[in-house]
Amino acid sequence: MYELDKHTPYRHARYQFTPLPLIQRGLAYHEAGHTVLGQLVGSTCERSRIHTISRGGVTGWTGATTWARSFGTYLDVAVVCGASGQAADLHQLAESGRLTPETARLCAADHDKQMALSILTAEGVPVTESGPAPYGGLAWDHVMATAQQRVDREWDRITAVAEALLAAPDFTLTGTQAAHIAGITTA
């Protein structure tokens, strides 16, 4: 089982001037990106949520998507775990007219990339930062481009799940609820 996005709370210094509703919106789209793209490649999502946490004396917001099992290719794992959240967050910033170099830096998801790299490394899959990919491996720039293409293609589903996550009283959806909202048939 993998849990994505257990990272530093969105209330540390780099987010100090970002209004809470925009932080929550970014997190909801980030988690919806993981959830929708993961379910589309056959992964079983248990839960997707945004919530408060405290770390190192700082209380803030974060997100988490929990998986019971996963399927797909190594590229699917890299896209779902490592790049889809950031790609969805970037897409919602662009669509809302708030994408700038600064806001793009704020939604960088190095924690997701590191998790994906750990999974791939454990499987013996070599990864480079940019193409061409090593034999039997991946280039991270290709992973990000693929995630952006998939997010663009599935934007309506991602938006439906993100908006439902924001409307949920506890900012939590089960994987079954998310799949139903997105119109995804799960096994």
Side-chain angles (χ1 to χ4, degrees):
M1 173 176 20
Y2 296 110
E3 186 162 323
L4 305 181
D5 295 333
K6 285 290 197 171
H7 53 79
T8 304
Y10 279 87
R11 268 294 178 216
H12 56 74
R14 76 180 194 174
Y15 302 102
Q16 66 184 339
F17 301 112
T18 305
L20 181 57
L22 294 180
I23 292 170
Q24 291 168 328
R25 182 167 208 70
L27 287 168
Y29 275 86
H30 182 108
E31 296 310 321
H34 288 308
T35 301
V36 169
L37 295 189
Q39 288 179 323
L40 286 171
V41 297
S43 295
T44 302
C45 178
E46 290 183 335
R47 178 180 69 182
S48 184
R49 70 185 181 130
I50 59 174
H51 57 98
T52 58
I53 61 168
S54 294
R55 288 212 181 119
V58 176
T59 298
W61 285 83
T62 192
T65 299
T66 307
W67 302 95
R69 65 176 185 200
S70 61
F71 299 96
T73 66
Y74 292 134
L75 178 59
D76 291 336
V77 169
V79 166
V80 171
C81 292
S84 61
Q86 181 174 332
D89 199 1
L90 287 168
H91 190 114
Q92 71 88 21
L93 285 170
E95 195 166 86
S96 69
R98 294 182 292 115
L99 182 60
T100 65
E102 182 178 287
T103 60
R105 280 190 301 278
L106 289 177
C107 67
D110 293 335
H111 56 284
D112 288 346
K113 180 180 178 181
Q114 290 308 313
M115 174 182 266
L117 292 175
S118 293
I119 294 167
L120 295 169
T121 299
E123 294 293 322
V125 179
V127 181
T128 62
E129 281 298 316
S130 59
Y135 178 76
L138 300 169
W140 198 257
D141 58 351
H142 176 70
V143 169
M144 282 303 302
T146 302
Q148 289 166 341
Q149 290 168 355
R150 291 182 187 180
V151 162
D152 291 348
R153 186 175 59 237
E154 303 301 336
W155 188 244
D156 290 344
R157 293 177 196 242
I158 292 168
T159 297
V161 171
E163 294 300 330
L165 193 54
L166 287 167
D170 57 357
F171 299 112
T172 300
L173 295 174
T174 66
T176 302
Q177 290 169 321
H180 177 74
I181 291 162
I184 300 169
T185 305
T186 58

